[in-house]
Amino acid sequence: MAPRPRKRASRSKPRAGSRRGGGGDEDPFFESEPKRRRSGRDEDIESEDSDDDGVAVLGGGVDEDGEEGGKEEETVGEKKIRMAKEWLKRVTEAANKGAEDEDEDENENEYDGDRRVAEILQRKQLEESGRKRRDLAARVLPLGPKDGFKVLVKHRQPVTAVALSTDSDKGFSASKDGVIVRWDVETGKSEKYLWPSENVLVSHHAKPPLSAKRSKQVLALAVSSDGRYLASGGLDRHIHLWDVRSREHIQAFSGHRGLISCLAFGLDSSELFSGSFDRSIMQWNAEDRTYMNCLYGHQNEILTMDALSKDRLLTVARDRTMHLWKIPEESQLVFRAPAAASLECCCFIDDKEFLSGSDDGSIELWSIMRKKPTHIIRNAHPISCTNLNSIGNDDQELPNENGIHNSENVSSAQSWVSAVAARKGSDLAASGAGNGLVRLWAIEPDSKGIRSLFNLQLDGFVNSLAIAKSGRFIVAGVGQEPRLGRWGRVQSAQNGVAIHAIRLKEEKDDL
């Protein structure tokens, strides 16, 4: 009898659902940190203001050879548990510190500490859910003599958009020359997103360009709340999806017939909204990389948008209207600009109020319960304010913000409001104008009005604004030209991202 042939040892195959197998499609998001660093080391750039020390700062746990120091990368679940424990520890320490300040015996201190922990947790939950507005404006301290905007990242062309991550430790900026940069708020270290070749873009479902060369000019940016995806849009009529960690292009969404003017991710959601000059709004799913819905209602070019959640969207267009979209109900509320003003920008304050800026220099506060603004600040960014020092507002007389204006102030041509931003769920907001003036505002409770806090001076067009989640700094995208045109130019302005610290009065339970 012939001997049986030996069985050859079979190698174990990776599972179909494993991170690195999965049918041959490797997702760069799940690659280990050292591998991405080694493959993209030559692509990294640094801010022009940073030192050339040759060592990556953002990694934290990587040595000069690109290898981790023997510490495995924690999973998303483990990171959430660790952060929750650290946060609960800070809450307990803050509560115990407040209880120790009072003259009571040990048992009462322990009881008060537990009570304060419960109160802090309840207040934080109400603030995060939007049912209670966080009081930040009353805690803003006066500016010091050395306070001012500092250029964090430089661009060659005017900056058109800035965006902050959810934890506000990373920022993103884009300019008219198509350069997209990710930067660290603390160190200013920056990394550039490299555009792939035309063949790669087409393989990522981008349509061939109409002309000989595809325009890479970026006009809008948005980052998802989980920090995984960055979306960009501009003149090529596509929404480009990027992997934040690897800085690689992963998808191109096509469907708009006009340039992409604005983008917004829903909070705690992978749903992405895009607005275009073709007067339509499209809804996409970044996780599934699919088209979901198209919204119609505006009669002219859409300029800006802001998303409060995955089912609430606010948009402004050149038809002098602002629309509040209720996605699940497939309905919309229309708010019309007062008088002859044309709305230019908008942002949510919370689920009941929102803010807008107009080309006549006014700022409007809106309520979901009224079709007209509940409060209007006229001449909010007067030209004469450009000569004022950012800290000299107490002894300088500003032009009248409401009511009748003097003829000399009107003749100075009020500057239109080009950007507004708010720390969602709080009473702190900001606005920027073409004359370089950035103003901080306090939103009064119960729609009682808007109160001016401070003027922050810049040189150039303020094309985009973002306020940190902590409320401790504001970021502005500045350029020599406006975002959507070239009809104005400030030669002395510096194209880049400027940051200004906001000092807040400390609280016992401030975390």
Side-chain angles (χ1 to χ4, degrees), residues 202-225:
V202 172
S203 68
H204 291 176
H205 306 287
K207 293 183 177 180
L210 299 178
S211 59
K213 187 178 181 181
R214 181 186 301 274
S215 173
K216 293 183 173 63
Q217 181 172 332
V218 180
L219 299 176
L221 283 180
V223 59
S224 60
S225 56

mmCIF file with all atom_site columns, all heavy atoms in Angstrom, residues 202-225:
data_model
loop_
_atom_site.group_PDB
_atom_site.id
_atom_site.type_symbol
_atom_site.label_atom_id
_atom_site.label_alt_id
_atom_site.label_comp_id
_atom_site.label_asym_id
_atom_site.label_entity_id
_atom_site.label_seq_id
_atom_site.pdbx_PDB_ins_code
_atom_site.Cartn_x
_atom_site.Cartn_y
_atom_site.Cartn_z
_atom_site.occupancy
_atom_site.B_iso_or_equiv
_atom_site.pdbx_formal_charge
_atom_site.auth_seq_id
_atom_site.auth_comp_id
_atom_site.auth_asym_id
_atom_site.auth_atom_id
_atom_site.pdbx_PDB_model_num
ATOM 1   N N   . VAL A 1 202 ? -9.715  60.101 -8.878  1.00 0.00 ? 202 VAL A N   1
ATOM 2   C CA  . VAL A 1 202 ? -10.753 59.445 -9.696  1.00 0.00 ? 202 VAL A CA  1
ATOM 3   C C   . VAL A 1 202 ? -11.083 58.070 -9.132  1.00 0.00 ? 202 VAL A C   1
ATOM 4   O O   . VAL A 1 202 ? -12.252 57.642 -9.116  1.00 0.00 ? 202 VAL A O   1
ATOM 5   C CB  . VAL A 1 202 ? -10.291 59.356 -11.162 1.00 0.00 ? 202 VAL A CB  1
ATOM 6   C CG1 . VAL A 1 202 ? -11.262 58.518 -11.983 1.00 0.00 ? 202 VAL A CG1 1
ATOM 7   C CG2 . VAL A 1 202 ? -10.153 60.748 -11.767 1.00 0.00 ? 202 VAL A CG2 1
ATOM 8   N N   . SER A 1 203 ? -10.064 57.351 -8.640  1.00 0.00 ? 203 SER A N   1
ATOM 9   C CA  . SER A 1 203 ? -10.330 56.051 -8.021  1.00 0.00 ? 203 SER A CA  1
ATOM 10  C C   . SER A 1 203 ? -11.117 56.190 -6.724  1.00 0.00 ? 203 SER A C   1
ATOM 11  O O   . SER A 1 203 ? -11.757 55.226 -6.291  1.00 0.00 ? 203 SER A O   1
ATOM 12  C CB  . SER A 1 203 ? -9.013  55.317 -7.754  1.00 0.00 ? 203 SER A CB  1
ATOM 13  O OG  . SER A 1 203 ? -8.255  55.972 -6.746  1.00 0.00 ? 203 SER A OG  1
ATOM 14  N N   . HIS A 1 204 ? -11.069 57.374 -6.098  1.00 0.00 ? 204 HIS A N   1
ATOM 15  C CA  . HIS A 1 204 ? -11.853 57.643 -4.889  1.00 0.00 ? 204 HIS A CA  1
ATOM 16  C C   . HIS A 1 204 ? -13.200 58.270 -5.228  1.00 0.00 ? 204 HIS A C   1
ATOM 17  O O   . HIS A 1 204 ? -13.786 58.964 -4.409  1.00 0.00 ? 204 HIS A O   1
ATOM 18  C CB  . HIS A 1 204 ? -11.063 58.553 -3.945  1.00 0.00 ? 204 HIS A CB  1
ATOM 19  C CG  . HIS A 1 204 ? -9.876  57.885 -3.331  1.00 0.00 ? 204 HIS A CG  1
ATOM 20  N ND1 . HIS A 1 204 ? -8.986  58.557 -2.508  1.00 0.00 ? 204 HIS A ND1 1
ATOM 21  C CD2 . HIS A 1 204 ? -9.435  56.606 -3.391  1.00 0.00 ? 204 HIS A CD2 1
ATOM 22  C CE1 . HIS A 1 204 ? -8.045  57.715 -2.106  1.00 0.00 ? 204 HIS A CE1 1
ATOM 23  N NE2 . HIS A 1 204 ? -8.302  56.531 -2.628  1.00 0.00 ? 204 HIS A NE2 1
ATOM 24  N N   . HIS A 1 205 ? -13.653 58.058 -6.475  1.00 0.00 ? 205 HIS A N   1
ATOM 25  C CA  . HIS A 1 205 ? -14.992 58.440 -6.937  1.00 0.00 ? 205 HIS A CA  1
ATOM 26  C C   . HIS A 1 205 ? -15.117 59.925 -7.238  1.00 0.00 ? 205 HIS A C   1
ATOM 27  O O   . HIS A 1 205 ? -16.237 60.465 -7.233  1.00 0.00 ? 205 HIS A O   1
ATOM 28  C CB  . HIS A 1 205 ? -16.069 58.021 -5.931  1.00 0.00 ? 205 HIS A CB  1
ATOM 29  C CG  . HIS A 1 205 ? -16.024 56.575 -5.565  1.00 0.00 ? 205 HIS A CG  1
ATOM 30  N ND1 . HIS A 1 205 ? -16.420 55.572 -6.421  1.00 0.00 ? 205 HIS A ND1 1
ATOM 31  C CD2 . HIS A 1 205 ? -15.596 55.946 -4.439  1.00 0.00 ? 205 HIS A CD2 1
ATOM 32  C CE1 . HIS A 1 205 ? -16.252 54.388 -5.845  1.00 0.00 ? 205 HIS A CE1 1
ATOM 33  N NE2 . HIS A 1 205 ? -15.746 54.588 -4.634  1.00 0.00 ? 205 HIS A NE2 1
ATOM 34  N N   . ALA A 1 206 ? -14.023 60.609 -7.513  1.00 0.00 ? 206 ALA A N   1
ATOM 35  C CA  . ALA A 1 206 ? -14.103 61.987 -7.968  1.00 0.00 ? 206 ALA A CA  1
ATOM 36  C C   . ALA A 1 206 ? -14.307 62.009 -9.477  1.00 0.00 ? 206 ALA A C   1
ATOM 37  O O   . ALA A 1 206 ? -13.717 61.211 -10.206 1.00 0.00 ? 206 ALA A O   1
ATOM 38  C CB  . ALA A 1 206 ? -12.829 62.746 -7.601  1.00 0.00 ? 206 ALA A CB  1
ATOM 39  N N   . LYS A 1 207 ? -15.148 62.924 -9.947  1.00 0.00 ? 207 LYS A N   1
ATOM 40  C CA  . LYS A 1 207 ? -15.369 63.049 -11.376 1.00 0.00 ? 207 LYS A CA  1
ATOM 41  C C   . LYS A 1 207 ? -14.197 63.784 -12.025 1.00 0.00 ? 207 LYS A C   1
ATOM 42  O O   . LYS A 1 207 ? -13.581 64.647 -11.388 1.00 0.00 ? 207 LYS A O   1
ATOM 43  C CB  . LYS A 1 207 ? -16.674 63.796 -11.640 1.00 0.00 ? 207 LYS A CB  1
ATOM 44  C CG  . LYS A 1 207 ? -17.911 63.027 -11.210 1.00 0.00 ? 207 LYS A CG  1
ATOM 45  C CD  . LYS A 1 207 ? -19.166 63.797 -11.565 1.00 0.00 ? 207 LYS A CD  1
ATOM 46  C CE  . LYS A 1 207 ? -20.412 62.993 -11.189 1.00 0.00 ? 207 LYS A CE  1
ATOM 47  N NZ  . LYS A 1 207 ? -21.663 63.726 -11.528 1.00 0.00 ? 207 LYS A NZ  1
ATOM 48  N N   . PRO A 1 208 ? -13.882 63.470 -13.262 1.00 0.00 ? 208 PRO A N   1
ATOM 49  C CA  . PRO A 1 208 ? -12.781 64.171 -13.939 1.00 0.00 ? 208 PRO A CA  1
ATOM 50  C C   . PRO A 1 208 ? -13.057 65.669 -14.000 1.00 0.00 ? 208 PRO A C   1
ATOM 51  O O   . PRO A 1 208 ? -14.209 66.101 -14.118 1.00 0.00 ? 208 PRO A O   1
ATOM 52  C CB  . PRO A 1 208 ? -12.769 63.539 -15.341 1.00 0.00 ? 208 PRO A CB  1
ATOM 53  C CG  . PRO A 1 208 ? -13.440 62.220 -15.163 1.00 0.00 ? 208 PRO A CG  1
ATOM 54  C CD  . PRO A 1 208 ? -14.469 62.410 -14.103 1.00 0.00 ? 208 PRO A CD  1
ATOM 55  N N   . PRO A 1 209 ? -12.010 66.487 -13.915 1.00 0.00 ? 209 PRO A N   1
ATOM 56  C CA  . PRO A 1 209 ? -12.210 67.945 -13.949 1.00 0.00 ? 209 PRO A CA  1
ATOM 57  C C   . PRO A 1 209 ? -12.702 68.418 -15.307 1.00 0.00 ? 209 PRO A C   1
ATOM 58  O O   . PRO A 1 209 ? -12.413 67.797 -16.346 1.00 0.00 ? 209 PRO A O   1
ATOM 59  C CB  . PRO A 1 209 ? -10.813 68.492 -13.629 1.00 0.00 ? 209 PRO A CB  1
ATOM 60  C CG  . PRO A 1 209 ? -9.874  67.412 -14.048 1.00 0.00 ? 209 PRO A CG  1
ATOM 61  C CD  . PRO A 1 209 ? -10.593 66.120 -13.790 1.00 0.00 ? 209 PRO A CD  1
ATOM 62  N N   . LEU A 1 210 ? -13.439 69.529 -15.303 1.00 0.00 ? 210 LEU A N   1
ATOM 63  C CA  . LEU A 1 210 ? -13.948 70.084 -16.546 1.00 0.00 ? 210 LEU A CA  1
ATOM 64  C C   . LEU A 1 210 ? -12.842 70.733 -17.363 1.00 0.00 ? 210 LEU A C   1
ATOM 65  O O   . LEU A 1 210 ? -12.885 70.737 -18.588 1.00 0.00 ? 210 LEU A O   1
ATOM 66  C CB  . LEU A 1 210 ? -15.049 71.116 -16.251 1.00 0.00 ? 210 LEU A CB  1
ATOM 67  C CG  . LEU A 1 210 ? -16.281 70.574 -15.518 1.00 0.00 ? 210 LEU A CG  1
ATOM 68  C CD1 . LEU A 1 210 ? -17.265 71.699 -15.245 1.00 0.00 ? 210 LEU A CD1 1
ATOM 69  C CD2 . LEU A 1 210 ? -16.954 69.480 -16.333 1.00 0.00 ? 210 LEU A CD2 1
ATOM 70  N N   . SER A 1 211 ? -11.853 71.299 -16.671 1.00 0.00 ? 211 SER A N   1
ATOM 71  C CA  . SER A 1 211 ? -10.734 71.930 -17.351 1.00 0.00 ? 211 SER A CA  1
ATOM 72  C C   . SER A 1 211 ? -9.534  70.990 -17.339 1.00 0.00 ? 211 SER A C   1
ATOM 73  O O   . SER A 1 211 ? -9.622  69.841 -16.897 1.00 0.00 ? 211 SER A O   1
ATOM 74  C CB  . SER A 1 211 ? -10.371 73.258 -16.678 1.00 0.00 ? 211 SER A CB  1
ATOM 75  O OG  . SER A 1 211 ? -10.042 73.048 -15.320 1.00 0.00 ? 211 SER A OG  1
ATOM 76  N N   . ALA A 1 212 ? -8.410  71.504 -17.818 1.00 0.00 ? 212 ALA A N   1
ATOM 77  C CA  . ALA A 1 212 ? -7.210  70.667 -17.896 1.00 0.00 ? 212 ALA A CA  1
ATOM 78  C C   . ALA A 1 212 ? -6.666  70.312 -16.531 1.00 0.00 ? 212 ALA A C   1
ATOM 79  O O   . ALA A 1 212 ? -6.058  69.256 -16.344 1.00 0.00 ? 212 ALA A O   1
ATOM 80  C CB  . ALA A 1 212 ? -6.139  71.381 -18.721 1.00 0.00 ? 212 ALA A CB  1
ATOM 81  N N   . LYS A 1 213 ? -6.876  71.175 -15.546 1.00 0.00 ? 213 LYS A N   1
ATOM 82  C CA  . LYS A 1 213 ? -6.335  70.956 -14.207 1.00 0.00 ? 213 LYS A CA  1
ATOM 83  C C   . LYS A 1 213 ? -7.426  71.165 -13.165 1.00 0.00 ? 213 LYS A C   1
ATOM 84  O O   . LYS A 1 213 ? -8.208  72.107 -13.261 1.00 0.00 ? 213 LYS A O   1
ATOM 85  C CB  . LYS A 1 213 ? -5.161  71.919 -13.953 1.00 0.00 ? 213 LYS A CB  1
ATOM 86  C CG  . LYS A 1 213 ? -4.425  71.662 -12.655 1.00 0.00 ? 213 LYS A CG  1
ATOM 87  C CD  . LYS A 1 213 ? -3.246  72.624 -12.513 1.00 0.00 ? 213 LYS A CD  1
ATOM 88  C CE  . LYS A 1 213 ? -2.482  72.361 -11.224 1.00 0.00 ? 213 LYS A CE  1
ATOM 89  N NZ  . LYS A 1 213 ? -1.332  73.315 -11.059 1.00 0.00 ? 213 LYS A NZ  1
ATOM 90  N N   . ARG A 1 214 ? -7.459  70.285 -12.183 1.00 0.00 ? 214 ARG A N   1
ATOM 91  C CA  . ARG A 1 214 ? -8.455  70.378 -11.123 1.00 0.00 ? 214 ARG A CA  1
ATOM 92  C C   . ARG A 1 214 ? -8.084  71.492 -10.152 1.00 0.00 ? 214 ARG A C   1
ATOM 93  O O   . ARG A 1 214 ? -6.933  71.607 -9.724  1.00 0.00 ? 214 ARG A O   1
ATOM 94  C CB  . ARG A 1 214 ? -8.554  69.056 -10.374 1.00 0.00 ? 214 ARG A CB  1
ATOM 95  C CG  . ARG A 1 214 ? -9.605  69.056 -9.245  1.00 0.00 ? 214 ARG A CG  1
ATOM 96  C CD  . ARG A 1 214 ? -9.549  67.766 -8.465  1.00 0.00 ? 214 ARG A CD  1
ATOM 97  N NE  . ARG A 1 214 ? -9.781  66.618 -9.314  1.00 0.00 ? 214 ARG A NE  1
ATOM 98  C CZ  . ARG A 1 214 ? -10.982 66.136 -9.622  1.00 0.00 ? 214 ARG A CZ  1
ATOM 99  N NH1 . ARG A 1 214 ? -12.058 66.710 -9.108  1.00 0.00 ? 214 ARG A NH1 1
ATOM 100 N NH2 . ARG A 1 214 ? -11.119 65.084 -10.400 1.00 0.00 ? 214 ARG A NH2 1
ATOM 101 N N   . SER A 1 215 ? -9.068  72.314 -9.798  1.00 0.00 ? 215 SER A N   1
ATOM 102 C CA  . SER A 1 215 ? -8.843  73.359 -8.809  1.00 0.00 ? 215 SER A CA  1
ATOM 103 C C   . SER A 1 215 ? -8.860  72.751 -7.412  1.00 0.00 ? 215 SER A C   1
ATOM 104 O O   . SER A 1 215 ? -9.784  72.012 -7.058  1.00 0.00 ? 215 SER A O   1
ATOM 105 C CB  . SER A 1 215 ? -9.917  74.448 -8.915  1.00 0.00 ? 215 SER A CB  1
ATOM 106 O OG  . SER A 1 215 ? -9.798  75.370 -7.862  1.00 0.00 ? 215 SER A OG  1
ATOM 107 N N   . LYS A 1 216 ? -7.834  73.046 -6.638  1.00 0.00 ? 216 LYS A N   1
ATOM 108 C CA  . LYS A 1 216 ? -7.752  72.540 -5.271  1.00 0.00 ? 216 LYS A CA  1
ATOM 109 C C   . LYS A 1 216 ? -8.042  73.628 -4.234  1.00 0.00 ? 216 LYS A C   1
ATOM 110 O O   . LYS A 1 216 ? -7.771  73.446 -3.048  1.00 0.00 ? 216 LYS A O   1
ATOM 111 C CB  . LYS A 1 216 ? -6.373  71.926 -5.018  1.00 0.00 ? 216 LYS A CB  1
ATOM 112 C CG  . LYS A 1 216 ? -6.106  70.656 -5.823  1.00 0.00 ? 216 LYS A CG  1
ATOM 113 C CD  . LYS A 1 216 ? -4.759  70.059 -5.476  1.00 0.00 ? 216 LYS A CD  1
ATOM 114 C CE  . LYS A 1 216 ? -4.560  68.700 -6.146  1.00 0.00 ? 216 LYS A CE  1
ATOM 115 N NZ  . LYS A 1 216 ? -4.557  68.797 -7.614  1.00 0.00 ? 216 LYS A NZ  1
ATOM 116 N N   . GLN A 1 217 ? -8.564  74.766 -4.669  1.00 0.00 ? 217 GLN A N   1
ATOM 117 C CA  . GLN A 1 217 ? -8.863  75.852 -3.746  1.00 0.00 ? 217 GLN A CA  1
ATOM 118 C C   . GLN A 1 217 ? -9.935  75.416 -2.757  1.00 0.00 ? 217 GLN A C   1
ATOM 119 O O   . GLN A 1 217 ? -11.011 74.965 -3.144  1.00 0.00 ? 217 GLN A O   1
ATOM 120 C CB  . GLN A 1 217 ? -9.321  77.088 -4.501  1.00 0.00 ? 217 GLN A CB  1
ATOM 121 C CG  . GLN A 1 217 ? -9.633  78.273 -3.589  1.00 0.00 ? 217 GLN A CG  1
ATOM 122 C CD  . GLN A 1 217 ? -9.888  79.551 -4.373  1.00 0.00 ? 217 GLN A CD  1
ATOM 123 O OE1 . GLN A 1 217 ? -9.368  79.709 -5.464  1.00 0.00 ? 217 GLN A OE1 1
ATOM 124 N NE2 . GLN A 1 217 ? -10.678 80.450 -3.818  1.00 0.00 ? 217 GLN A NE2 1
ATOM 125 N N   . VAL A 1 218 ? -9.645  75.545 -1.459  1.00 0.00 ? 218 VAL A N   1
ATOM 126 C CA  . VAL A 1 218 ? -10.541 75.099 -0.395  1.00 0.00 ? 218 VAL A CA  1
ATOM 127 C C   . VAL A 1 218 ? -11.260 76.316 0.194   1.00 0.00 ? 218 VAL A C   1
ATOM 128 O O   . VAL A 1 218 ? -10.633 77.330 0.500   1.00 0.00 ? 218 VAL A O   1
ATOM 129 C CB  . VAL A 1 218 ? -9.753  74.361 0.705   1.00 0.00 ? 218 VAL A CB  1
ATOM 130 C CG1 . VAL A 1 218 ? -10.692 73.904 1.819   1.00 0.00 ? 218 VAL A CG1 1
ATOM 131 C CG2 . VAL A 1 218 ? -9.017  73.164 0.113   1.00 0.00 ? 218 VAL A CG2 1
ATOM 132 N N   . LEU A 1 219 ? -12.578 76.196 0.358   1.00 0.00 ? 219 LEU A N   1
ATOM 133 C CA  . LEU A 1 219 ? -13.384 77.270 0.921   1.00 0.00 ? 219 LEU A CA  1
ATOM 134 C C   . LEU A 1 219 ? -14.056 76.878 2.227   1.00 0.00 ? 219 LEU A C   1
ATOM 135 O O   . LEU A 1 219 ? -14.562 77.754 2.935   1.00 0.00 ? 219 LEU A O   1
ATOM 136 C CB  . LEU A 1 219 ? -14.463 77.702 -0.076  1.00 0.00 ? 219 LEU A CB  1
ATOM 137 C CG  . LEU A 1 219 ? -13.974 78.258 -1.418  1.00 0.00 ? 219 LEU A CG  1
ATOM 138 C CD1 . LEU A 1 219 ? -15.148 78.540 -2.333  1.00 0.00 ? 219 LEU A CD1 1
ATOM 139 C CD2 . LEU A 1 219 ? -13.144 79.516 -1.203  1.00 0.00 ? 219 LEU A CD2 1
ATOM 140 N N   . ALA A 1 220 ? -14.084 75.587 2.558   1.00 0.00 ? 220 ALA A N   1
ATOM 141 C CA  . ALA A 1 220 ? -14.802 75.150 3.757   1.00 0.00 ? 220 ALA A CA  1
ATOM 142 C C   . ALA A 1 220 ? -14.117 73.932 4.354   1.00 0.00 ? 220 ALA A C   1
ATOM 143 O O   . ALA A 1 220 ? -13.562 73.091 3.627   1.00 0.00 ? 220 ALA A O   1
ATOM 144 C CB  . ALA A 1 220 ? -16.258 74.818 3.425   1.00 0.00 ? 220 ALA A CB  1
ATOM 145 N N   . LEU A 1 221 ? -14.169 73.827 5.700   1.00 0.00 ? 221 LEU A N   1
ATOM 146 C CA  . LEU A 1 221 ? -13.629 72.697 6.446   1.00 0.00 ? 221 LEU A CA  1
ATOM 147 C C   . LEU A 1 221 ? -14.619 72.290 7.524   1.00 0.00 ? 221 LEU A C   1
ATOM 148 O O   . LEU A 1 221 ? -15.375 73.117 8.043   1.00 0.00 ? 221 LEU A O   1
ATOM 149 C CB  . LEU A 1 221 ? -12.295 73.047 7.114   1.00 0.00 ? 221 LEU A CB  1
ATOM 150 C CG  . LEU A 1 221 ? -11.011 73.106 6.286   1.00 0.00 ? 221 LEU A CG  1
ATOM 151 C CD1 . LEU A 1 221 ? -9.848  73.480 7.188   1.00 0.00 ? 221 LEU A CD1 1
ATOM 152 C CD2 . LEU A 1 221 ? -10.740 71.785 5.593   1.00 0.00 ? 221 LEU A CD2 1
ATOM 153 N N   . ALA A 1 222 ? -14.592 71.014 7.883   1.00 0.00 ? 222 ALA A N   1
ATOM 154 C CA  . ALA A 1 222 ? -15.383 70.505 9.006   1.00 0.00 ? 222 ALA A CA  1
ATOM 155 C C   . ALA A 1 222 ? -14.717 69.251 9.525   1.00 0.00 ? 222 ALA A C   1
ATOM 156 O O   . ALA A 1 222 ? -14.231 68.429 8.739   1.00 0.00 ? 222 ALA A O   1
ATOM 157 C CB  . ALA A 1 222 ? -16.829 70.215 8.593   1.00 0.00 ? 222 ALA A CB  1
ATOM 158 N N   . VAL A 1 223 ? -14.683 69.092 10.846  1.00 0.00 ? 223 VAL A N   1
ATOM 159 C CA  . VAL A 1 223 ? -14.093 67.916 11.475  1.00 0.00 ? 223 VAL A CA  1
ATOM 160 C C   . VAL A 1 223 ? -15.168 67.212 12.280  1.00 0.00 ? 223 VAL A C   1
ATOM 161 O O   . VAL A 1 223 ? -16.006 67.849 12.928  1.00 0.00 ? 223 VAL A O   1
ATOM 162 C CB  . VAL A 1 223 ? -12.888 68.301 12.362  1.00 0.00 ? 223 VAL A CB  1
ATOM 163 C CG1 . VAL A 1 223 ? -13.286 69.272 13.459  1.00 0.00 ? 223 VAL A CG1 1
ATOM 164 C CG2 . VAL A 1 223 ? -12.211 67.067 12.938  1.00 0.00 ? 223 VAL A CG2 1
ATOM 165 N N   . SER A 1 224 ? -15.196 65.893 12.211  1.00 0.00 ? 224 SER A N   1
ATOM 166 C CA  . SER A 1 224 ? -16.223 65.121 12.920  1.00 0.00 ? 224 SER A CA  1
ATOM 167 C C   . SER A 1 224 ? -15.973 65.163 14.416  1.00 0.00 ? 224 SER A C   1
ATOM 168 O O   . SER A 1 224 ? -14.849 65.371 14.885  1.00 0.00 ? 224 SER A O   1
ATOM 169 C CB  . SER A 1 224 ? -16.236 63.677 12.425  1.00 0.00 ? 224 SER A CB  1
ATOM 170 O OG  . SER A 1 224 ? -14.988 63.055 12.649  1.00 0.00 ? 224 SER A OG  1
ATOM 171 N N   . SER A 1 225 ? -17.031 64.952 15.187  1.00 0.00 ? 225 SER A N   1
ATOM 172 C CA  . SER A 1 225 ? -16.940 65.056 16.647  1.00 0.00 ? 225 SER A CA  1
ATOM 173 C C   . SER A 1 225 ? -16.072 63.960 17.246  1.00 0.00 ? 225 SER A C   1
ATOM 174 O O   . SER A 1 225 ? -15.491 64.147 18.319  1.00 0.00 ? 225 SER A O   1
ATOM 175 C CB  . SER A 1 225 ? -18.343 65.003 17.266  1.00 0.00 ? 225 SER A CB  1
ATOM 176 O OG  . SER A 1 225 ? -19.022 63.823 16.863  1.00 0.00 ? 225 SER A OG  1
#
